[in-house]
Amino acid sequence: MLGFTYRPEEILYIWSIIDLAQKAWIERNFLKRECIHIFPTKDPTRCACGQLTTQHVAIPPGANSVEETYQLVQIDTPRDKWNVIKHTRTYPTDAFGLIEFQGGGFINKAMYIRVTYDTKPDNLLHLMVKDWQLELPTLLISVHGGLQNFDLQPKLKQVFGKGLIKAAVTTGAWIFTGGVNTGVIRHVGDALKDHSSKSRGKVCAIGIAPWGILENKEDLIGKDVTKPYQTMANPLSKLAVLNNSHSHFILTDNGTCGKYGSEVKLRRLLEKHISLQKINTRLGQGVPLVCLIVEGGPNVISIALESLRDEPPIPVVVCDGSGRASDIISFAHKFSEDGGLVNEDVREQLLVTIQKTFNYSKSQSQQILLMVMECMKKRELVSRRQRVKDNLHVSLSVVRTNMYVSINKYS
């Protein structure tokens, strides 16, 4: 059998061809979005997409006008609302590569890509496995909670952090978060940072964040590049910076600026797609998915209900003692019976707690209470971890090993 040897320059040439092919694949399959209409709002300086009209789109070199290049349209008297389908256009993504975080006391790098909000989940998973070279997880932990900053009691923060990391390390899990350095994501970041300072083993933490709410996002523009990124947040800005302890970022783009929402559907579809991947072909098992809730507003109760109603249902782990939504679900779980029934005194106490917690009217609170009661109809799929004495790692492991029993029950 003949053997072939390559000179170093030939090897470099082959690798450059492979890199070009990969870059071309990314640009064919991943897009960004730009608003192409200046849509009037009450604020004359801003388009309805959230962008300042003076910064609405950049005119590329050689173009005579914005209109010529992007077909930018000025709408004088809008008859309908701004709409992502009508008022944006897609272009090949212009931001992917490697982030080098600056500041924060330690060096971390993360892969990233800017994608349109309706990107196909199978393309994203292909990117993650082939380009980012991630191994499929044996567990997917989806963390939800408050976006505004909140404190956790020191003991609870320690138990939460250690339990989450231990669960991820021992099961080979991926952790999904909202990616920015606020609220529950900051607490997850602190746990990741503490782990990386003590261990060489890296946890796969993937942040899925809206491109439009990022501070310094212009610094990330470039194709297949390494970009320094400053994590010092501007206290006067409504935008957010990325959390520097994550390993990967998917930045969702619907053409808006300063607005959340573009990430919600993409994250849900990607999680579902990953959960359907067969990690045990003999048993036909997919990737177990767990919804982990820490603190949170009314939308987090809605997320818990969506998870439990999914087919198959997604188990929910609640961090009891972390506040707001978590504590409301925990209270209902503690005092409900099989089938989710609660007595009138507990129901009234829940209603009052919801009113006080979210500063809601009675009618608004009743709507939230109905969602909580719907969650309790599948209370066996809800696990609450009590303050300090319980261990989150145990809870997640139990959910993982028993998950298929629950799936078979509801399938």
Side-chain angles (χ1 to χ4, degrees):
M1 186 174 176
L2 294 174
F4 292 94
T5 58
Y6 293 96
R7 295 194 299 273
E9 60 269 24
E10 290 175 324
I11 294 171
L12 287 172
Y13 176 73
I14 292 167
W15 276 114
S16 68
I17 294 295
I18 293 170
D19 286 345
L20 283 171
Q22 184 63 19
K23 187 176 174 183
W25 179 83
I26 289 174
E27 291 184 54
R28 278 198 313 272
N29 288 279
F30 299 103
L31 306 172
K32 66 171 185 174
R33 279 192 180 267
E34 297 279 6
C35 177
I36 57 167
H37 295 71
I38 294 182
F39 203 96
T41 62
K42 291 178 181 178
D43 181 354
T45 66
R46 286 191 184 274
C47 171
C49 71
Q51 184 65 271
L52 287 168
T53 53
T54 54
Q55 300 172 0
H56 200 274
V57 286
I59 305 175
N64 295 321
S65 67
V66 171
E67 288 83 0
E68 177 187 314
T69 308
Y70 287 92
Q71 293 92 52
L72 184 67
V73 178
Q74 176 81 44
I75 298 176
D76 296 321
T77 53
R79 295 176 185 174
D80 54 4
K81 292 183 178 180
W82 186 91
N83 181 283
V84 64
I85 303 299
K86 288 182 182 179
H87 303 126
T88 67
R89 269 190 59 188
T90 57
Y91 305 89
T93 185
D94 61 355
F96 60 93
L98 187 70
I99 295 173
E100 283 188 341
F101 288 104
Q102 310 294 301
F106 78 115
I107 297 169
N108 190 39
K109 297 178 182 180
M111 304 294 292
Y112 76 99
I113 188 167
R114 174 189 186 181
V115 301
T116 183
Y117 75 102
D118 52 358
T119 299
K120 292 178 181 178
D122 55 336
N123 281 342
L124 281 169
L125 186 57
H126 180 90
L127 173 86
M128 296 159 87
V129 173
K130 300 295 184 184
D131 193 57
W132 291 353
Q133 298 184 333
L134 297 176
E135 288 186 20
L136 271 178
T138 56
L139 173 68
L140 180 55
I141 305 169
S142 184
V143 183
H144 294 274
L147 270 177
Q148 299 299 317
N149 288 329
F150 62 90
D151 292 326
L152 287 175
Q153 295 173 5
K155 268 288 190 188
L156 180 58
K157 185 179 176 80
Q158 184 182 32
V159 169
F160 164 74
K162 285 187 175 180
L164 176 64
I165 298 302
K166 189 175 181 183
V169 169
T170 57
T171 62
W174 288 358
I175 300 172
F176 270 19
T177 79
V180 294
N181 195 35
T182 62
V184 63
I185 309 155
R186 179 178 282 184
H187 291 294
V188 173
D190 289 345
L192 291 165
K193 188 182 295 183
D194 185 60
H195 171 73
S196 66
S197 68
K198 299 172 182 174
S199 170
R200 288 186 178 181
K202 196 166 187 178
V203 174
C204 182
I206 301 166
I208 302 178
W211 171 264
I213 59 93
L214 293 186
E215 190 90 67
N216 308 321
K217 59 180 172 286
E218 295 79 13
D219 294 346
L220 299 178
I221 292 175
K223 299 176 182 181
D224 197 20
V225 291
T226 298
K227 288 282 188 175
Y229 182 79
Q230 183 55 249
T231 55
M232 291 294 290
N234 179 355
L236 301 177
S237 175
K238 293 181 180 178
L239 302 177
V241 295
L242 294 171
N243 181 272
N244 63 3
S245 298
H246 285 59
S247 57
H248 303 81
F249 291 96
I250 297 169
L251 307 175
T252 63
D253 188 7
N254 66 355
T256 63
C257 182
K259 300 178 183 183
Y260 285 89
S262 66
E263 77 286 6
V264 176
K265 187 177 179 181
L266 181 141
R267 176 173 172 177
R268 189 167 65 241
L269 291 176
L270 180 57
E271 288 174 350
K272 182 74 173 179
H273 184 67
I274 292 169
S275 74
L276 295 174
Q277 305 306 304
K278 297 291 184 270
I279 53 170
N280 189 324
T281 51
R282 186 173 60 84
L283 297 176
Q285 291 180 349
V287 178
L289 172 58
V290 176
C291 175
L292 172 58
I293 290 176
V294 185
E295 208 252 359
N299 66 306
V300 171
I301 293 174
S302 178
I303 288 167
L305 182 55
E306 280 181 25
S307 298
L308 294 167
R309 279 180 170 173
D310 205 359
E311 289 295 336
I314 300 165
V316 174
V317 176
V318 181
C319 190
D320 189 10
S322 59
R324 299 205 302 161
S326 288
D327 289 1
I328 288 167
I329 295 172
S330 293
F331 182 84
H333 188 268
K334 184 177 181 180
F335 292 102
S336 61
E337 300 170 7
D338 289 344
L341 297 174
V342 298
N343 64 43
E344 202 54 43
D345 287 345
V346 171
R347 184 185 272 286
E348 189 59 35
Q349 195 170 343
L350 270 170
L351 187 63
V352 171
T353 302
I354 291 166
Q355 282 181 272
K356 288 181 177 178
T357 301
F358 301 128
N359 196 24
Y360 270 10
S361 67
K362 189 169 184 178
S363 61
Q364 288 174 312
S365 300
Q366 284 169 335
Q367 294 299 312
I368 301 298
L369 179 61
L370 285 174
M371 287 199 291
V372 174
M373 291 298 95
E374 283 296 310
C375 288
M376 291 307 106
K377 287 180 181 178
K378 293 186 177 178
R379 70 184 303 279
E380 66 271 30
L381 287 171
V382 178
S383 173
R384 58 187 174 87
R385 294 296 92 197
Q386 295 176 340
R387 301 181 190 278
V388 177
K389 66 180 181 179
D390 291 324
N391 191 301
L392 179 61
H393 165 61
V394 174
S395 179
L396 287 170
S397 297
V398 168
V399 168
R400 178 173 179 257
T401 53
N402 294 339
M403 189 176 179
Y404 298 103
V405 176
S406 301
I407 289 171
N408 293 331
K409 182 177 178 180
Y410 286 98
S411 58

